[in-house]
Amino acid sequence: MSSMQASHDELLDLVAVYALGALGAEEARIASMHLAVCTECRAEYDALRPAADAVAYAADDRLDLVDCPRIKREIMRAIRPPQRSAIFVASTVAALAAALVFAFIAVSAERKAAETDRTIAALVGPGARQYDVSAGEIVKSGDHIYLVMAKLAPLPAGRVYQAWTLAPGAKTMAPNVTFSPNSQGFVLVTLTEAAQNVGVVAVSVEPSGGSQAPTTKPLFVRPLT
Amino acid sequence: MQDAGRLMADVRRRDAAAFEALYDGFGRLVYGIASRMLADTATAEDVTQSVFLTVWTRPEAFRGGNVGAWLARVTRNRCLDVLRSRAARPSAEMPVDVADETALDDAILARLDGARVRSALALLPVEQREPIEMGFFDGVTHDEIARRSGIPLGTIKTRIRTGLRRLREHLAGGAA
Ligand SMILES: [Zn+2]
């Protein structure tokens, strides 16, 4: 009886650490399974969890008066709907966002989510310019160029799509990233070349691993003018 | 700030003014958690932006309860992810996320602010305050807290529990 008592006190302690969020996976599983069946521990958890949540507020003094409005401006800009005639981009991005969100449920979700949110914000932001191509859109936003491909055909094994860029005044295409669309033909690609170094964007089908120069006729060659 | 639960309902209806009011109310909290957990202002800004964009694009993720507590958990979970990706030893155990879909609506959360929480924490004995702050902000498990502080694990757990109980009492007492 006394040993059972001791072990239940340990469970109550464990539940407190669980409320704080400082348990590893195995112990968290033990705590949550026990919480499902023990009213005493559940009551302890319900009392301590708000106290643990309150701890967060101790950190609310780190944003200074200069940065707070600046960050707010950036966030408000990111959520504003596009004011240009960018219906295609908007609807493509919405569909793509849904596809990406869905894909990320399977992959390690949270880390990519921040990245995706930022990219989508850039795509629909007020500074973005879009260029129609056969398979979707090229979007230039800030320093970056994005390919928002909405209807790419699936490729046989051993083949990938590859992006190419031509610098203003240059004579030969420079190789850029390779990529494959998802099963719906969607893919969102961020080119590795800074926007100011790109005058023309092309995409071709290449062997896996990519090529140094296009080996097939490009799907499109789009000057960004 | 207006009632935050009401603001969340307005955000669901794509009300940008309500969203802006949410940032005004909770921007410092979200950024503060990220800045303290990540010790890197640029990444803290990225996380802040990402958390608020998630609020705008997926407001249905909030299932009720206290909005500030929910945002704090979402932010902390996202920071844990950043810390996981940074971990030098990927095998080192990291704490698991605390579910953020079950934010409670407790009286002590009703009118929280940083100054009150900091003074309530300051009332705790240091041996209780430290493991609580490490456990919340440092992204470490209780085993790691015990290892770093050289204190037996059982003692750490008991101190966290006692400390959270006291913190609750201080916050409830000062609420009147
Ligand atoms: Zn129990």
Side-chain angles (χ1 to χ4, degrees), chain A residues 7-9 11-12 15 34-35 37-42:
Chain A
S7 86
H8 193 255
D9 275 348
L11 276 167
L12 280 163
V15 159
H34 181 70
L35 279 173
V37 297
C38 176
T39 50
E40 185 186 357
C41 284
R42 184 80 222 176

Side-chain angles (χ1 to χ4, degrees), chain A residues 13 19 21-25 27-28 44 47 49 52-54 57-60 62-63 68 70 72 110-111 117, chain B residues 20 23-24 28 32 35 45 54 73 76 78 81 85 93 95-96 98-99 114 118 136 141-142 158 161 165 168:
Chain A
D13 285 351
L23 290 183
E27 285 174 309
E44 184 75 352
R49 166 78 191 261
D53 285 337
Y57 282 78
D60 82 348
R62 296 186 154 229
L63 193 52
C68 197
R70 179 177 60 75
K72 173 174 162 179
E110 299 269 358
R111 192 173 319 146
D117 289 346
Chain B
E20 186 172 357
Y23 177 85
D24 290 340
R28 286 166 186 282
S35 153
E45 279 188 30
T54 302
R73 287 291 170 176
R76 182 175 182 270
R78 204 153 272 187
D81 241 345
S85 69
E93 175 144 55
V96 295
V98 170
R118 284 186 290 277
F136 194 91
T141 63
H142 61 166
T158 304
R161 181 174 164 213
R165 281 214 149 270
R168 189 188 164 85

Side-chain angles (χ1 to χ4, degrees), chain A residues 17-90:
Chain A
V17 184
Y18 182 65
L20 186 64
L23 290 183
E26 182 57 25
E27 285 174 309
R29 201 178 58 83
I30 294 168
S32 74
M33 285 172 65
H34 181 70
L35 279 173
V37 297
C38 176
T39 50
E40 185 186 357
C41 284
R42 184 80 222 176
E44 184 75 352
Y45 178 82
D46 288 348
L48 298 188
R49 166 78 191 261
D53 285 337
V55 173
Y57 282 78
D60 82 348
D61 57 350
R62 296 186 154 229
L63 193 52
D64 64 36
L65 287 167
V66 176
D67 282 341
C68 197
R70 179 177 60 75
I71 296 172
K72 173 174 162 179
R73 267 196 310 277
E74 286 167 17
I75 292 172
M76 293 308 293
R77 200 158 45 216
I79 69 155
R80 204 179 305 138
Q83 272 148 30
R84 342 149 251 143
S85 62
I87 294 158
F88 181 79
V89 167

Side-chain angles (χ1 to χ4, degrees), chain A residues 13-216:
Chain A
D13 285 351
L14 194 70
V15 159
V17 184
Y18 182 65
L20 186 64
L23 290 183
E26 182 57 25
E27 285 174 309
R29 201 178 58 83
I30 294 168
S32 74
M33 285 172 65
H34 181 70
L35 279 173
V37 297
C38 176
T39 50
E40 185 186 357
C41 284
R42 184 80 222 176
E44 184 75 352
Y45 178 82
D46 288 348
L48 298 188
R49 166 78 191 261
D53 285 337
V55 173
Y57 282 78
D60 82 348
D61 57 350
R62 296 186 154 229
L63 193 52
D64 64 36
L65 287 167
V66 176
D67 282 341
C68 197
R70 179 177 60 75
I71 296 172
K72 173 174 162 179
R73 267 196 310 277
E74 286 167 17
I75 292 172
M76 293 308 293
R77 200 158 45 216
I79 69 155
R80 204 179 305 138
Q83 272 148 30
R84 342 149 251 143
S85 62
I87 294 158
F88 181 79
V89 167
S91 61
T92 306
V93 168
L96 189 71
L100 289 173
V101 166
F102 184 72
F104 285 145
I105 292 169
V107 199
S108 89
E110 299 269 358
R111 192 173 319 146
K112 296 267 182 185
E115 227 169 87
T116 310
D117 289 346
R118 251 199 319 279
T119 305
I120 292 169
L123 289 174
V124 298
R129 281 198 63 187
Q130 83 277 16
Y131 306 88
D132 286 355
V133 291
S134 54
E137 295 264 328
I138 299 167
V139 180
K140 182 150 98 175
S141 180
D143 294 337
H144 296 289
I145 291 180
Y146 305 90
L147 304 186
V148 186
M149 300 290 104
K151 39 195 171 182
L152 282 178
L155 291 177
R159 297 268 142 179
V160 292
Y161 289 100
Q162 182 167 8
W164 305 90
T165 61
L166 188 66
K171 296 250 180 336
T172 54
M173 287 282 194
N176 208 280
V177 289
T178 63
F179 53 94
S180 300
N182 74 1
S183 57
Q184 280 90 50
F186 280 123
V187 66
L188 169 60
V189 179
T190 308
L191 297 191
T192 52
E193 190 67 72
Q196 63 268 24
N197 301 330
V198 179
V200 176
V201 175
V203 167
S204 67
V205 176
E206 299 298 330
S208 293
S211 306
Q212 283 309 302
T215 62
T216 65

Side-chain angles (χ1 to χ4, degrees), chain B residues 64-135:
Chain B
N66 183 280
V67 175
W70 173 70
L71 279 171
R73 287 291 170 176
V74 169
T75 305
R76 182 175 182 270
N77 288 344
R78 204 153 272 187
C79 290
L80 286 177
D81 241 345
V82 173
L83 292 174
R84 268 184 213 110
S85 69
R86 278 183 190 170
R89 291 178 304 147
S91 58
E93 175 144 55
M94 296 277 299
V96 295
D97 293 358
V98 170
D100 56 38
E101 76 277 15
T102 55
L104 299 174
D105 206 357
D106 191 282
I108 69 159
L109 294 171
R111 288 195 313 275
L112 275 188
D113 65 63
R116 276 194 59 211
V117 172
R118 284 186 290 277
S119 54
L121 277 168
L123 290 171
L124 298 183
V126 64
E127 68 268 20
Q128 291 169 11
R129 185 175 70 243
E130 275 183 356
I132 287 173
E133 291 188 327
M134 283 173 82

